[in-house]
Structures are given as structure tokens and as C-alpha cells.
């Protein structure tokens, strides 16, 4: 479904509504012409997911699948897509949202219900990829909480102004509707995102926001879509460099790389989520050696995952290749909190200043 020039001047809400409405109009047009209604759905198979070297994230290729009411096996799937699209159109029109779980239960009244929530989630993704919009734009929200942000930045959320420096020690929670939040003012030079809330609270206690004039973001593990969208926005709209500090293991590397270069699963929305200019500030194999950190031995699954990362196009950079090979060689991994060996303040007083200088 192509985007007209007029769409460029529309708000995200208006664009979402028009695309959802247009999906139904395509089917009606086929009926009026007495053609068999059908929908083209971009393929999300691995063979159609491509790493774009210029954009530095995964994108979808040009392969499509066709769902037709002329195929008995596809009738239910098209019916589900139409129902979900109509449900989303109503949400967008009324400026409401629904969680994926709520949509699953609402679907019980449609007469073409889903066998389980996983099936309804997949149809929601089909709508996303068909329209080229994120589920949040369509009014569908995840269940999980967003990340926490602490530092000197002021948001406009509806009629309310919020200063993340005055939101308590747990900071401001990033909303799934982060695109409806405006950045009014800030007095920071960078963003440091950390994998664990333990490290987040350590940085708040040690006043890292002052020491580095930074926003502190607690990722809560694998970053939610809203968190990734926030990091992309502050990087592009506020021109703030983003640093990501994760555990020194393949899973920490992956969490950081999903923020930097997106994920294969979300290739259809990586343009809204990936922050290619973000830098890895986390624990590397070299750090494990140079700082003589407490470690755990790599497990077989860690070794397997590191070898997978070595062959992943997102890790082609020589620095990543060197660190992956070194970790395999030493056979060890380490957590962010391992710097506590030298005292609770060490990570803020020594490690971060040295790493930031190295990366600047």
C-alpha cells in the first residue's frame, strides 16, 4: 500500500486512520468490480528480511503473499485481518487504546475468534506490516511497562508538563504512546541507557546525571518498543548521543544491538525504532581482562550464541568481531554489577569516565 504525497502532511493519527480505512476500501472496490477480494501482505519470512548496509538495520524485502477469498483456507485469516483493522480504526477514531490482551478478549464477540492470543498477536503484526504502521499507531499497546528515565528533561504529555528530574528516584516511565509526548526542554549532553534497574538506581544514587550531564535510562532487560522509540527520538530530535551499557555476555550484546540496528522480527518498523548512531558502553571481553572483573564461565549456550553473533551482519564491525573472539577465547562473561568489586561508586567514578573518553 503506497503512501501519497498528501500523507506527508498528516499527523500519525490521521495517517493511521486513512490507511486502516483504505484497507477496507480495497476489499469493497473488489466486490463492486465483482472481483474476488484479496490482500497483499509483505512476507516476514527470513528470506525476505535483509540487512541494509546504508541504513544499518534490518528491512523487509519486496516479497509479498496474497490472501484471497477465493482460497477457502484463507477466508478465516482475511476475516480476522478485517476485524482487527476495523477494531483499530475505531480505536484511532475515538482516540483510545487497547492492550493486545484486551483485543484478544474483545475478539470473542466477533464470531471468528482466535484459538489463542498468539494467533491474534500475529494478525496484529500482519496489519502492521501491510499498512507500514506500528501497532502503537494503530491503538494497540503491549502489556509490559516502559523503561525509566531520570535527568533534566521536560515533557509535555497532554496538558501536563513533566520534569524527569522531579519524578522521584524511579524517574519518568516511558509511555507506549511516546510519539504523543513532546520534548519541551532539556539541559543534558547525552543519554546513558543501562540494562538493569539495579544499575539505574546506582547511577541515580551516585548522581551520575550531574557528573555526566546525562539522562539515565533503565532498560529493564530487553528494551520495549516504546523505549527504543524514545532513544531514537532523543538522538534524532534533540541531537543527543546515546550510549548503551549492558552485561558482558552475548545476551547483553544482543540487547544493545537491537537498540542500535533493530531486530529481524521487527524489520517492518525498524525505521521507527533503530538508533544506528548509538554506541556500546557496556562490558566487553577486554574490560573483563583489563579491569580483572569477577566472572562466570561461558555455558555451551553462550558459546553457541556468540558464534551466531559473529556471523550476524549487525556485528561486522571489526571491534565487535574482536570482542566476540576474545570472549570465546577467555571463556568468561561478566555482569555490569561486577565493578562493585572495587566499591559501589567505582562504576560511576572510574569506569564510565574512562569508557566515555575512549568512545568520544
Amino acid at each position: 500500500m503506497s503512501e501519497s504525497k498528501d500523507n506527508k502532511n498528516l499527523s500519525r493519527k490521521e495517517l493511521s486512520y486513512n490507511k486502516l480505512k483504505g484497507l477496507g476500501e480495497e476489499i469493497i472496490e473488489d466486490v463492486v468490480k465483482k472481483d474476488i477480494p484479496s490482500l497483499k501482505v509483505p512476507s516476514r519470512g527470513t528470506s525476505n528480511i535483509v540487512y541494509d548496509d546504508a541504513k544499518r538495520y534490518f528491512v523487509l524485502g519486496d516479497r509479498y503473499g496474497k490472501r484471497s477469498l477465493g482460497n477457502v483456507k484463507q477466508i478465516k485469516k482475511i476475516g480476522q485481518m478485517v476485524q482487527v483493522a476495523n477494531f483499530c480504526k475505531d480505536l484511532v477514531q475515538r482516540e483510545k487504546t487497547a492492550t493486545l490482551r484486551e483485543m484478544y478478549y474483545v475478539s470473542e464477540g466477533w464470531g471468528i475468534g482466535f484459538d489463542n492470543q498468539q494467533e491474534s498477536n500475529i494478525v496484529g503484526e500482519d496489519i502492521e506490516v501491510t499498512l507500514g504502521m506500528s501497532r502503537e499507531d494503530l491503538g494497540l499497546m503491549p502489556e509490559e511497562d516502559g523503561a525509566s528515565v531520570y535527568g533534566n528533561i521536560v515533557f509535555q504529555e497532554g496538558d501536563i508538563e513533566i520534569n524527569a528530574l522531579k519524578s522521584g528516584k524511579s524517574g519518568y516511565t516511558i509511555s507506549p504512546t511516546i510519539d504523543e509526548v513532546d520534548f519541551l526542554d532539556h539541559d543534558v549532553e547525552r543519554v546513558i541507557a543501562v540494562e538493569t534497574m539495579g544499575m539505574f538506581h546506582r547511577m541515580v544514587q551516585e548522581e551520575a546525571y550531574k557528573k555526566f550531564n546525562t539522562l539515565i535510562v533503565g532498560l529493564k532487560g530487553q528494551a520495549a518498543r516504546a523505549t527504543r522509540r524514545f532513544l531514537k527520538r532523543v538522538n534524532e530530535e534533540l541531537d543527543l548521543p546515546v550510549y548503551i551499557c549492558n552485561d558482558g555476555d552475548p545476551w547483553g550484546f544482543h540487547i544493545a544491538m537491537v537498540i542500535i540496528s533493530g531486530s529481524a522480527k521487527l524489520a517492518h518498523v525498524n525505521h521507527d525504532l533503530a538508533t544506528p548512531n548509538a554506541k556500546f558502553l557496556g562490558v566487553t571481553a577486554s574490560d573483563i581482562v583489563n579491569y580483572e572483573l569477577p566472572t562466570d564461565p561461558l555455558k555451551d549456550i553462550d558459546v553457541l550464541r556468540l558464534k551466531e553473533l559473529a556471523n550476524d551482519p549487525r556485528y561486522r564491525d571489526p571491534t565487535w568481531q574482536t570482542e566476540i573472539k576474545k570472549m570465546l577465547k577467555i571463556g568468561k562473561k561478566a555482569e555490569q554489577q561486577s565493578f562493585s568489586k572495587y566499591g559501589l561508586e567505582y562504576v560511576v567514578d572510574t569506569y564510565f569516565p574512562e569508557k566515555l573518553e575512549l568512545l568520544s
Side-chain angles (χ1 to χ4, degrees), residues 196 198-203 205-206 247 283 291-295 334-352:
T196 67
M199 181 60 74
F200 172 87
H201 291 302
R202 171 56 47 208
M203 293 181 71
Q205 288 180 33
E206 303 306 327
D247 287 341
V283 185
Y291 289 90
E292 299 181 352
L293 297 177
T295 61
E335 298 180 356
Q336 295 173 315
Q337 284 84 351
S338 62
F339 289 98
S340 298
K341 165 186 175 181
Y342 301 107
L344 295 176
E345 300 83 7
Y346 184 86
V347 69
V348 171
D349 290 346
T350 302
Y351 178 69
F352 280 155

Side-chain angles (χ1 to χ4, degrees), residues 284-347:
T284 62
S286 295
D287 290 337
I288 291 174
V289 174
N290 295 338
Y291 289 90
E292 299 181 352
L293 297 177
T295 61
D296 291 310
L298 293 177
K299 298 179 180 179
D300 290 344
I301 192 171
D302 297 323
V303 172
L304 177 62
R305 186 61 177 141
L306 283 169
K307 290 179 178 178
E308 290 174 345
L309 298 186
N311 293 318
D312 188 315
R314 292 172 292 183
Y315 296 84
R316 286 176 183 162
D317 184 272
T319 301
W320 274 114
Q321 290 292 316
T322 298
E323 292 300 333
I324 290 171
K325 291 175 182 176
K326 183 175 288 188
M327 184 164 286
L328 286 169
K329 182 178 180 180
I330 65 176
K332 297 177 181 178
K333 58 184 179 181
E335 298 180 356
Q336 295 173 315
Q337 284 84 351
S338 62
F339 289 98
S340 298
K341 165 186 175 181
Y342 301 107
L344 295 176
E345 300 83 7
Y346 184 86
V347 69

Side-chain angles (χ1 to χ4, degrees), residues 11 50 68 85 109 122 139 167 174 209 240 250 283 303 312 322 337 340:
S11 68
V50 182
S68 170
I122 290 174
S167 301
I174 297 173
Y209 58 95
L240 295 176
V283 185
V303 172
D312 188 315
T322 298
Q337 284 84 351
S340 298

Side-chain angles (χ1 to χ4, degrees), residues 3-20 92-93 95 132-133 136-138 179-180 182 229:
E3 183 176 333
S4 68
K5 292 181 179 179
D6 293 336
N7 281 339
K8 293 181 179 179
N9 297 319
L10 297 177
S11 68
R12 292 178 79 97
K13 175 192 169 185
E14 292 170 325
L15 184 57
S16 299
Y17 180 82
N18 288 349
K19 286 195 172 188
L20 287 162
V92 172
Q93 187 174 28
E95 298 187 347
M133 305 292 292
E136 290 82 3
D137 288 326
L138 305 178
D179 275 309
E180 297 176 11
D182 294 323
R229 181 62 183 152

